[in-house]
């Protein structure tokens, strides 16, 4: 009982670290049941749904299908690494990306009853990848890298155009080039592929990978 209590305290401390960094986070056990969440994650309830027996789901049908597949792959030990799922805006609620991080190796000592951590990046706290890294990895120009980071931040074509002082046609052309150079078929595909390149808070999730 004492060991279980200590593990719970350590797990809660890890979620608190994400909270301090501004990231909603939750622990998920077998069958996709949520065991612990931080206050920021709780604020997403509505777009995120906690069903009977604590199972987690997303209000958006398409995003939920991707999440359920990731959790099913996780249960069968078929989830190779971090799975990132874009969730669109709803009414006044922001768009966000929910990352499914498998718990492996020494992290299992801390999260004995959890299979994964869910970490959310909202458009209010945009994912950003260093411009130099984007340029080196995908041969993007600096302007294209700025567009790529805008997409990661959940900006629309109009918002990107206004923030950079260019026309919608220019922005659309740059988005097409970004998708082509990164090998992505759509914006959703782009978010899934590139979101894991952004940095999570350090020292809060040991043994991942």
């Amino acid at each position: 009982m004492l060991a279980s209590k200590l593990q719970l305290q350590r797990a809660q401390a890890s979620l608190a670290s994400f909270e301090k960094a501004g990231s909603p986070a939750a622990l998920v056990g077998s069958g996709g049941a949520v065991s612990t969440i931080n206050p920021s994650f709780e604020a997403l309830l509505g777009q995120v749904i906690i069903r009977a027996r604590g199972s987690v789901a997303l209000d958006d049908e398409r995003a939920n299908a991707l999440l359920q597949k990731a959790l099913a792959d996780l249960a069968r030990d078929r989830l190779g690494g971090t799975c990132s799922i874009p969730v669109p805006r709803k009414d006044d609620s922001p768009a966000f990306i929910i990352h499914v991080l498998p718990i492996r190796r020494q992290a299992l000592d801390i999260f004995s009853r959890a299979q994964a951590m869910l970490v959310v990046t909202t458009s209010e706290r945009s994912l950003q990848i260093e411009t130099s890294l984007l340029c080196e990895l995908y041969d993007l120009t600096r302007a294209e890298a700025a567009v790529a980071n805008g997409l990661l931040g959940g900006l629309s074509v109009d918002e990107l155009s206004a923030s950079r002082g260019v026309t919608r046609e220019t922005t659309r052309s740059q988005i097409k080039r970004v998708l082509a150079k990164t090998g992505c078929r759509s914006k959703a595909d782009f978010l899934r592929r590139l979101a894991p390149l952004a940095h999570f808070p350090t020292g809060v999730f040991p043994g991942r990978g």
Side-chain angles (χ1 to χ4, degrees):
M1 184 177 66
L2 288 174
S4 178
K5 184 176 181 180
L6 177 59
Q7 287 172 332
L8 177 61
Q9 290 175 340
R10 293 172 71 186
Q12 289 173 335
S14 182
L15 292 185
S17 297
F18 276 94
E19 177 73 21
K20 185 175 181 180
S23 296
L27 289 175
V28 175
S30 59
V34 172
S35 59
T36 310
I37 65 177
N38 65 10
S40 294
F41 194 90
E42 187 174 357
L44 294 173
L45 294 180
Q47 286 172 288
V48 178
I49 302 168
I50 306 298
R51 293 176 172 167
R53 298 182 181 179
S55 61
V56 64
L58 297 171
D59 181 61
D60 182 80
E61 183 177 349
R62 185 174 181 180
N64 185 57
L66 294 172
L67 175 63
Q68 299 311 316
K69 182 181 184 303
L71 293 175
D73 289 344
L74 180 72
R76 300 185 185 97
D77 199 24
R78 294 178 181 174
L79 191 64
T82 301
C83 176
S84 300
I85 301 166
V87 180
R89 296 177 182 178
K90 181 181 179 182
D91 300 326
D92 294 332
S93 300
F96 62 84
I97 302 171
I98 186 165
H99 310 273
V100 183
L101 286 67
I103 294 173
R104 299 185 178 123
R105 299 178 182 173
Q106 67 263 36
L108 290 170
D109 296 334
I110 301 176
F111 309 111
S112 61
R113 296 182 181 179
Q115 290 188 333
M117 179 177 282
L118 304 180
V119 179
V120 172
T121 304
T122 69
S123 58
E124 294 173 350
R125 182 177 179 271
S126 301
L127 276 174
Q128 294 289 299
I129 301 174
E130 290 183 10
T131 297
S132 58
L133 179 60
L134 283 171
C135 294
E136 290 173 9
L137 287 177
Y138 300 107
D139 195 29
L140 301 183
T141 65
R142 296 189 71 84
E144 291 165 351
V147 168
N149 270 320
L151 293 176
L152 286 170
L155 297 183
S156 66
V157 172
D158 288 336
E159 290 169 332
L160 273 170
S161 302
S163 67
R164 302 177 59 247
V166 299
T167 65
R168 295 179 82 257
E169 289 70 24
T170 297
T171 299
R172 287 185 181 278
S173 296
Q174 290 173 330
I175 290 174
K176 288 180 181 179
R177 290 198 295 272
V178 167
L179 295 180
K181 289 183 178 182
T182 55
C184 299
R185 295 168 294 179
S186 65
K187 292 180 186 178
D189 188 26
F190 171 84
L191 291 174
R192 283 194 295 272
R193 290 194 186 192
L194 270 73
L197 293 177
H199 298 292
F200 290 106
T202 58
V204 296
F205 197 78
R208 182 168 60 86

